[in-house]
Amino acid sequence: MANEWYIVQTYTGYEGKVSRVIQQKLDNGDLSSDIVKSIKVPEEEVVEIKDGKKKVRKNKLLAGYIMAELDLPDLGWKDTCNKIRHIQGVSGFVGTAPNERPRPISSDEAKNILMRSGEGQNYRRSFQGL
């Protein structure tokens, strides 16, 4: 088993809520921290100058999606995935049917998204072997 990044589709605007619910489930022991390593809502800072005033706001890079770093076991992956799928606001894992094992995104895709959101520095060690 190895840590891989997966994309979870959510209702637009529910990204933060779903992320918080997954964190609560980790804290309560409903989800194993050995399997769910990290949840990210990738955002980038955008600087706008309007009426001569500088404003910084955050835009979601993947509106309607969150990234989940999972270490899915060969046996028992369905339990974890079903717990995530049944959170209110979650549509499922991108690219798979509910009864299929989710497919991870490539390491390059994950690296690019995390680097754009400014969080890639935290994961640079994970990607050094690529």
Side-chain angles (χ1 to χ4, degrees):
M1 295 186 301
N3 293 354
E4 295 180 294
W5 287 98
Y6 297 83
I7 303 293
V8 179
Q9 185 174 9
T10 67
Y11 300 156
T12 303
Y14 277 68
E15 302 91 347
K17 180 181 179 187
V18 169
S19 175
R20 286 189 300 276
V21 169
I22 291 173
Q23 188 59 52
Q24 287 173 349
K25 288 184 175 282
L26 284 168
D27 294 343
N28 295 339
D30 293 339
L31 286 172
S32 170
S33 60
D34 292 338
I35 296 173
V36 180
K37 301 297 184 178
S38 179
I39 300 294
K40 298 290 179 195
V41 180
E43 297 177 326
E44 65 181 345
E45 286 188 0
V46 177
V47 178
E48 292 181 336
I49 299 177
K50 205 173 201 180
D51 299 327
K53 295 181 181 178
K54 183 175 160 182
K55 288 188 175 185
V56 178
R57 65 182 171 98
K58 291 190 176 190
N59 280 350
K60 290 182 176 66
L61 288 175
L62 305 171
Y65 300 93
I66 61 173
M67 293 179 65
E69 185 180 20
L70 306 175
D71 187 6
L72 288 178
D74 291 333
L75 300 173
W77 61 267
K78 262 189 181 180
D79 183 48
T80 300
C81 292
N82 284 336
K83 286 178 182 176
I84 293 172
R85 282 188 185 106
H86 286 102
I87 294 172
Q88 183 180 1
V90 172
S91 301
F93 287 85
V94 170
T96 58
N99 60 347
E100 293 177 355
R101 183 183 174 101
R103 290 185 208 110
I105 61 174
S106 73
S107 297
D108 288 337
E109 288 173 311
K111 178 181 174 183
N112 288 338
I113 293 168
L114 291 170
M115 293 298 277
R116 280 186 58 199
S117 69
E119 297 185 40
Q121 293 81 12
N122 300 336
Y123 295 95
R124 190 161 284 167
R125 286 187 209 116
S126 314
F127 298 116
Q128 283 184 349
L130 304 176

mmCIF file of all heavy atoms in Angstrom, residues 42-75:
data_model
loop_
_atom_site.group_PDB
_atom_site.id
_atom_site.type_symbol
_atom_site.label_atom_id
_atom_site.label_comp_id
_atom_site.label_asym_id
_atom_site.label_seq_id
_atom_site.Cartn_x
_atom_site.Cartn_y
_atom_site.Cartn_z
ATOM 1 N N PRO A 42 -7.874 22.625 -2.440
ATOM 2 C CA PRO A 42 -6.854 23.467 -3.075
ATOM 3 C C PRO A 42 -7.401 24.853 -3.448
ATOM 4 O O PRO A 42 -8.410 24.967 -4.127
ATOM 5 C CB PRO A 42 -6.462 22.701 -4.331
ATOM 6 C CG PRO A 42 -7.051 21.347 -4.191
ATOM 7 C CD PRO A 42 -8.162 21.438 -3.222
ATOM 8 N N GLU A 43 -6.729 25.880 -2.950
ATOM 9 C CA GLU A 43 -7.098 27.266 -3.225
ATOM 10 C C GLU A 43 -5.855 28.029 -3.631
ATOM 11 O O GLU A 43 -4.751 27.706 -3.210
ATOM 12 C CB GLU A 43 -7.688 27.929 -1.984
ATOM 13 C CG GLU A 43 -8.972 27.318 -1.500
ATOM 14 C CD GLU A 43 -9.478 27.964 -0.222
ATOM 15 O OE1 GLU A 43 -8.643 28.372 0.609
ATOM 16 O OE2 GLU A 43 -10.699 28.067 -0.066
ATOM 17 N N GLU A 44 -6.062 29.064 -4.445
ATOM 18 C CA GLU A 44 -4.959 29.950 -4.786
ATOM 19 C C GLU A 44 -5.357 31.376 -4.437
ATOM 20 O O GLU A 44 -6.535 31.736 -4.501
ATOM 21 C CB GLU A 44 -4.588 29.837 -6.261
ATOM 22 C CG GLU A 44 -5.656 30.302 -7.221
ATOM 23 C CD GLU A 44 -5.267 30.146 -8.680
ATOM 24 O OE1 GLU A 44 -4.074 29.950 -8.965
ATOM 25 O OE2 GLU A 44 -6.168 30.212 -9.520
ATOM 26 N N GLU A 45 -4.368 32.160 -4.054
ATOM 27 C CA GLU A 45 -4.623 33.553 -3.728
ATOM 28 C C GLU A 45 -4.584 34.380 -5.004
ATOM 29 O O GLU A 45 -3.672 34.237 -5.816
ATOM 30 C CB GLU A 45 -3.585 34.082 -2.737
ATOM 31 C CG GLU A 45 -3.782 33.559 -1.348
ATOM 32 C CD GLU A 45 -2.872 34.223 -0.329
ATOM 33 O OE1 GLU A 45 -2.072 35.109 -0.700
ATOM 34 O OE2 GLU A 45 -2.970 33.837 0.839
ATOM 35 N N VAL A 46 -5.588 35.231 -5.156
ATOM 36 C CA VAL A 46 -5.676 36.107 -6.315
ATOM 37 C C VAL A 46 -5.646 37.537 -5.802
ATOM 38 O O VAL A 46 -6.404 37.891 -4.897
ATOM 39 C CB VAL A 46 -6.977 35.844 -7.105
ATOM 40 C CG1 VAL A 46 -7.101 36.807 -8.271
ATOM 41 C CG2 VAL A 46 -7.031 34.404 -7.589
ATOM 42 N N VAL A 47 -4.766 38.354 -6.384
ATOM 43 C CA VAL A 47 -4.666 39.754 -5.998
ATOM 44 C C VAL A 47 -5.401 40.581 -7.041
ATOM 45 O O VAL A 47 -5.121 40.481 -8.237
ATOM 46 C CB VAL A 47 -3.183 40.202 -5.906
ATOM 47 C CG1 VAL A 47 -3.094 41.668 -5.552
ATOM 48 C CG2 VAL A 47 -2.444 39.351 -4.894
ATOM 49 N N GLU A 48 -6.364 41.356 -6.577
ATOM 50 C CA GLU A 48 -7.128 42.230 -7.459
ATOM 51 C C GLU A 48 -6.894 43.678 -7.053
ATOM 52 O O GLU A 48 -6.793 43.981 -5.864
ATOM 53 C CB GLU A 48 -8.622 41.952 -7.344
ATOM 54 C CG GLU A 48 -9.069 40.635 -7.874
ATOM 55 C CD GLU A 48 -10.571 40.456 -7.738
ATOM 56 O OE1 GLU A 48 -11.194 41.102 -6.871
ATOM 57 O OE2 GLU A 48 -11.128 39.661 -8.498
ATOM 58 N N ILE A 49 -6.841 44.549 -8.030
ATOM 59 C CA ILE A 49 -6.772 45.973 -7.738
ATOM 60 C C ILE A 49 -8.053 46.579 -8.274
ATOM 61 O O ILE A 49 -8.316 46.550 -9.477
ATOM 62 C CB ILE A 49 -5.532 46.623 -8.371
ATOM 63 C CG1 ILE A 49 -4.273 45.966 -7.801
ATOM 64 C CG2 ILE A 49 -5.547 48.121 -8.150
ATOM 65 C CD1 ILE A 49 -2.995 46.442 -8.385
ATOM 66 N N LYS A 50 -8.865 47.060 -7.353
ATOM 67 C CA LYS A 50 -10.162 47.617 -7.712
ATOM 68 C C LYS A 50 -10.284 48.984 -7.067
ATOM 69 O O LYS A 50 -10.104 49.122 -5.856
ATOM 70 C CB LYS A 50 -11.261 46.681 -7.193
ATOM 71 C CG LYS A 50 -12.546 46.750 -7.929
ATOM 72 C CD LYS A 50 -13.477 45.661 -7.429
ATOM 73 C CE LYS A 50 -14.533 45.379 -8.456
ATOM 74 N NZ LYS A 50 -15.445 44.347 -8.008
ATOM 75 N N ASP A 51 -10.576 49.990 -7.862
ATOM 76 C CA ASP A 51 -10.676 51.364 -7.372
ATOM 77 C C ASP A 51 -9.414 51.795 -6.634
ATOM 78 O O ASP A 51 -9.476 52.488 -5.619
ATOM 79 C CB ASP A 51 -11.900 51.534 -6.456
ATOM 80 C CG ASP A 51 -13.209 51.238 -7.165
ATOM 81 O OD1 ASP A 51 -13.286 51.511 -8.381
ATOM 82 O OD2 ASP A 51 -14.135 50.742 -6.504
ATOM 83 N N GLY A 52 -8.268 51.329 -7.127
ATOM 84 C CA GLY A 52 -7.000 51.710 -6.524
ATOM 85 C C GLY A 52 -6.669 50.982 -5.234
ATOM 86 O O GLY A 52 -5.667 51.266 -4.588
ATOM 87 N N LYS A 53 -7.523 50.042 -4.830
ATOM 88 C CA LYS A 53 -7.277 49.290 -3.600
ATOM 89 C C LYS A 53 -6.923 47.846 -3.949
ATOM 90 O O LYS A 53 -7.549 47.226 -4.793
ATOM 91 C CB LYS A 53 -8.508 49.312 -2.692
ATOM 92 C CG LYS A 53 -8.833 50.695 -2.181
ATOM 93 C CD LYS A 53 -10.037 50.661 -1.284
ATOM 94 C CE LYS A 53 -10.375 52.058 -0.800
ATOM 95 N NZ LYS A 53 -11.567 52.063 0.024
ATOM 96 N N LYS A 54 -5.937 47.368 -3.237
ATOM 97 C CA LYS A 54 -5.478 46.001 -3.455
ATOM 98 C C LYS A 54 -6.272 45.059 -2.564
ATOM 99 O O LYS A 54 -6.371 45.262 -1.353
ATOM 100 C CB LYS A 54 -3.994 45.924 -3.122
ATOM 101 C CG LYS A 54 -3.352 44.608 -3.360
ATOM 102 C CD LYS A 54 -1.853 44.738 -3.087
ATOM 103 C CE LYS A 54 -1.201 43.426 -2.836
ATOM 104 N NZ LYS A 54 0.215 43.555 -2.532
ATOM 105 N N LYS A 55 -6.857 44.031 -3.174
ATOM 106 C CA LYS A 55 -7.608 43.033 -2.416
ATOM 107 C C LYS A 55 -7.068 41.652 -2.744
ATOM 108 O O LYS A 55 -6.770 41.344 -3.892
ATOM 109 C CB LYS A 55 -9.096 43.068 -2.782
ATOM 110 C CG LYS A 55 -9.826 44.254 -2.257
ATOM 111 C CD LYS A 55 -11.311 44.100 -2.492
ATOM 112 C CE LYS A 55 -12.054 45.249 -1.854
ATOM 113 N NZ LYS A 55 -13.495 45.081 -1.955
ATOM 114 N N VAL A 56 -6.939 40.854 -1.717
ATOM 115 C CA VAL A 56 -6.495 39.477 -1.892
ATOM 116 C C VAL A 56 -7.671 38.570 -1.547
ATOM 117 O O VAL A 56 -8.292 38.709 -0.504
ATOM 118 C CB VAL A 56 -5.297 39.153 -0.964
ATOM 119 C CG1 VAL A 56 -4.876 37.708 -1.125
ATOM 120 C CG2 VAL A 56 -4.137 40.085 -1.256
ATOM 121 N N ARG A 57 -7.983 37.671 -2.463
ATOM 122 C CA ARG A 57 -9.055 36.713 -2.203
ATOM 123 C C ARG A 57 -8.570 35.329 -2.613
ATOM 124 O O ARG A 57 -7.603 35.190 -3.351
ATOM 125 C CB ARG A 57 -10.336 37.094 -2.921
ATOM 126 C CG ARG A 57 -10.251 37.060 -4.415
ATOM 127 C CD ARG A 57 -11.570 37.510 -5.037
ATOM 128 N NE ARG A 57 -11.410 37.671 -6.460
ATOM 129 C CZ ARG A 57 -11.760 36.764 -7.351
ATOM 130 N NH1 ARG A 57 -12.339 35.652 -6.980
ATOM 131 N NH2 ARG A 57 -11.557 36.979 -8.634
ATOM 132 N N LYS A 58 -9.261 34.342 -2.124
ATOM 133 C CA LYS A 58 -8.893 32.965 -2.439
ATOM 134 C C LYS A 58 -9.917 32.370 -3.399
ATOM 135 O O LYS A 58 -11.117 32.485 -3.180
ATOM 136 C CB LYS A 58 -8.818 32.120 -1.170
ATOM 137 C CG LYS A 58 -7.664 32.507 -0.292
ATOM 138 C CD LYS A 58 -7.474 31.525 0.822
ATOM 139 C CE LYS A 58 -6.237 31.917 1.612
ATOM 140 N NZ LYS A 58 -5.861 30.905 2.552
ATOM 141 N N ASN A 59 -9.404 31.753 -4.448
ATOM 142 C CA ASN A 59 -10.236 31.032 -5.411
ATOM 143 C C ASN A 59 -9.962 29.547 -5.275
ATOM 144 O O ASN A 59 -8.807 29.142 -5.145
ATOM 145 C CB ASN A 59 -9.894 31.442 -6.844
ATOM 146 C CG ASN A 59 -10.513 32.745 -7.252
ATOM 147 O OD1 ASN A 59 -11.348 33.298 -6.553
ATOM 148 N ND2 ASN A 59 -10.103 33.245 -8.404
ATOM 149 N N LYS A 60 -10.999 28.765 -5.329
ATOM 150 C CA LYS A 60 -10.812 27.316 -5.313
ATOM 151 C C LYS A 60 -10.269 26.882 -6.667
ATOM 152 O O LYS A 60 -10.795 27.270 -7.703
ATOM 153 C CB LYS A 60 -12.130 26.626 -4.998
ATOM 154 C CG LYS A 60 -12.556 26.842 -3.563
ATOM 155 C CD LYS A 60 -13.838 26.106 -3.265
ATOM 156 C CE LYS A 60 -14.210 26.244 -1.822
ATOM 157 N NZ LYS A 60 -14.545 27.600 -1.409
ATOM 158 N N LEU A 61 -9.207 26.101 -6.652
ATOM 159 C CA LEU A 61 -8.646 25.593 -7.901
ATOM 160 C C LEU A 61 -9.565 24.547 -8.521
ATOM 161 O O LEU A 61 -9.675 24.453 -9.737
ATOM 162 C CB LEU A 61 -7.265 24.966 -7.653
ATOM 163 C CG LEU A 61 -6.136 25.931 -7.359
ATOM 164 C CD1 LEU A 61 -4.876 25.163 -7.006
ATOM 165 C CD2 LEU A 61 -5.885 26.841 -8.536
ATOM 166 N N LEU A 62 -10.192 23.766 -7.677
ATOM 167 C CA LEU A 62 -11.080 22.695 -8.146
ATOM 168 C C LEU A 62 -12.451 22.884 -7.502
ATOM 169 O O LEU A 62 -12.783 22.197 -6.537
ATOM 170 C CB LEU A 62 -10.516 21.325 -7.762
ATOM 171 C CG LEU A 62 -9.089 20.999 -8.203
ATOM 172 C CD1 LEU A 62 -8.612 19.713 -7.550
ATOM 173 C CD2 LEU A 62 -9.018 20.875 -9.708
ATOM 174 N N ALA A 63 -13.228 23.811 -8.019
ATOM 175 C CA ALA A 63 -14.554 24.051 -7.438
ATOM 176 C C ALA A 63 -15.386 22.777 -7.554
ATOM 177 O O ALA A 63 -15.496 22.185 -8.627
ATOM 178 C CB ALA A 63 -15.239 25.206 -8.149
ATOM 179 N N GLY A 64 -15.945 22.341 -6.442
ATOM 180 C CA GLY A 64 -16.743 21.122 -6.427
ATOM 181 C C GLY A 64 -15.942 19.856 -6.201
ATOM 182 O O GLY A 64 -16.480 18.757 -6.313
ATOM 183 N N TYR A 65 -14.664 20.005 -5.868
ATOM 184 C CA TYR A 65 -13.811 18.834 -5.646
ATOM 185 C C TYR A 65 -12.873 19.091 -4.468
ATOM 186 O O TYR A 65 -12.475 20.215 -4.211
ATOM 187 C CB TYR A 65 -12.949 18.533 -6.882
ATOM 188 C CG TYR A 65 -13.752 18.255 -8.116
ATOM 189 C CD1 TYR A 65 -14.069 19.274 -9.000
ATOM 190 C CD2 TYR A 65 -14.216 16.979 -8.390
ATOM 191 C CE1 TYR A 65 -14.813 19.030 -10.137
ATOM 192 C CE2 TYR A 65 -14.964 16.718 -9.525
ATOM 193 C CZ TYR A 65 -15.258 17.747 -10.390
ATOM 194 O OH TYR A 65 -16.003 17.506 -11.519
ATOM 195 N N ILE A 66 -12.511 18.018 -3.772
ATOM 196 C CA ILE A 66 -11.462 18.079 -2.761
ATOM 197 C C ILE A 66 -10.454 16.975 -3.067
ATOM 198 O O ILE A 66 -10.765 16.023 -3.789
ATOM 199 C CB ILE A 66 -12.000 17.933 -1.316
ATOM 200 C CG1 ILE A 66 -12.687 16.575 -1.110
ATOM 201 C CG2 ILE A 66 -12.928 19.067 -0.963
ATOM 202 C CD1 ILE A 66 -13.083 16.324 0.331
ATOM 203 N N MET A 67 -9.273 17.121 -2.541
ATOM 204 C CA MET A 67 -8.235 16.104 -2.716
ATOM 205 C C MET A 67 -8.093 15.324 -1.418
ATOM 206 O O MET A 67 -8.077 15.911 -0.337
ATOM 207 C CB MET A 67 -6.900 16.759 -3.060
ATOM 208 C CG MET A 67 -6.878 17.431 -4.403
ATOM 209 S SD MET A 67 -5.287 18.220 -4.742
ATOM 210 C CE MET A 67 -4.195 16.799 -4.829
ATOM 211 N N ALA A 68 -7.992 14.025 -1.545
ATOM 212 C CA ALA A 68 -7.822 13.165 -0.376
ATOM 213 C C ALA A 68 -6.590 12.292 -0.587
ATOM 214 O O ALA A 68 -6.487 11.590 -1.590
ATOM 215 C CB ALA A 68 -9.054 12.286 -0.179
ATOM 216 N N GLU A 69 -5.671 12.366 0.373
ATOM 217 C CA GLU A 69 -4.501 11.492 0.347
ATOM 218 C C GLU A 69 -4.850 10.258 1.159
ATOM 219 O O GLU A 69 -5.069 10.332 2.369
ATOM 220 C CB GLU A 69 -3.285 12.199 0.933
ATOM 221 C CG GLU A 69 -2.015 11.380 0.818
ATOM 222 C CD GLU A 69 -0.810 12.098 1.403
ATOM 223 O OE1 GLU A 69 -0.976 13.022 2.204
ATOM 224 O OE2 GLU A 69 0.309 11.695 1.056
ATOM 225 N N LEU A 70 -4.946 9.125 0.465
ATOM 226 C CA LEU A 70 -5.391 7.889 1.104
ATOM 227 C C LEU A 70 -4.359 6.792 0.907
ATOM 228 O O LEU A 70 -3.678 6.738 -0.108
ATOM 229 C CB LEU A 70 -6.727 7.420 0.501
ATOM 230 C CG LEU A 70 -7.887 8.407 0.485
ATOM 231 C CD1 LEU A 70 -9.083 7.808 -0.246
ATOM 232 C CD2 LEU A 70 -8.277 8.803 1.892
ATOM 233 N N ASP A 71 -4.303 5.924 1.891
ATOM 234 C CA ASP A 71 -3.491 4.713 1.817
ATOM 235 C C ASP A 71 -4.480 3.550 1.882
ATOM 236 O O ASP A 71 -4.645 2.921 2.922
ATOM 237 C CB ASP A 71 -2.496 4.681 2.976
ATOM 238 C CG ASP A 71 -1.510 3.542 2.867
ATOM 239 O OD1 ASP A 71 -1.510 2.835 1.834
ATOM 240 O OD2 ASP A 71 -0.726 3.359 3.816
ATOM 241 N N LEU A 72 -5.172 3.324 0.756
ATOM 242 C CA LEU A 72 -6.249 2.325 0.736
ATOM 243 C C LEU A 72 -5.686 0.907 0.811
ATOM 244 O O LEU A 72 -4.827 0.536 0.012
ATOM 245 C CB LEU A 72 -7.089 2.462 -0.531
ATOM 246 C CG LEU A 72 -7.996 3.675 -0.618
ATOM 247 C CD1 LEU A 72 -8.735 3.689 -1.955
ATOM 248 C CD2 LEU A 72 -8.986 3.708 0.521
ATOM 249 N N PRO A 73 -6.198 0.110 1.739
ATOM 250 C CA PRO A 73 -5.752 -1.285 1.823
ATOM 251 C C PRO A 73 -6.381 -2.106 0.696
ATOM 252 O O PRO A 73 -7.415 -1.729 0.128
ATOM 253 C CB PRO A 73 -6.289 -1.739 3.185
ATOM 254 C CG PRO A 73 -7.463 -0.860 3.440
ATOM 255 C CD PRO A 73 -7.163 0.446 2.779
ATOM 256 N N ASP A 74 -5.757 -3.227 0.375
ATOM 257 C CA ASP A 74 -6.310 -4.106 -0.657
ATOM 258 C C ASP A 74 -7.640 -4.697 -0.206
ATOM 259 O O ASP A 74 -8.559 -4.871 -1.006
ATOM 260 C CB ASP A 74 -5.323 -5.227 -0.997
ATOM 261 C CG ASP A 74 -4.094 -4.682 -1.713
ATOM 262 O OD1 ASP A 74 -4.205 -3.629 -2.384
ATOM 263 O OD2 ASP A 74 -3.023 -5.290 -1.585
ATOM 264 N N LEU A 75 -7.725 -5.019 1.065
ATOM 265 C CA LEU A 75 -8.974 -5.518 1.632
ATOM 266 C C LEU A 75 -9.531 -4.455 2.562
ATOM 267 O O LEU A 75 -8.799 -3.858 3.331
ATOM 268 C CB LEU A 75 -8.738 -6.811 2.418
ATOM 269 C CG LEU A 75 -8.155 -7.978 1.624
ATOM 270 C CD1 LEU A 75 -7.812 -9.129 2.552
ATOM 271 C CD2 LEU A 75 -9.153 -8.439 0.571
#
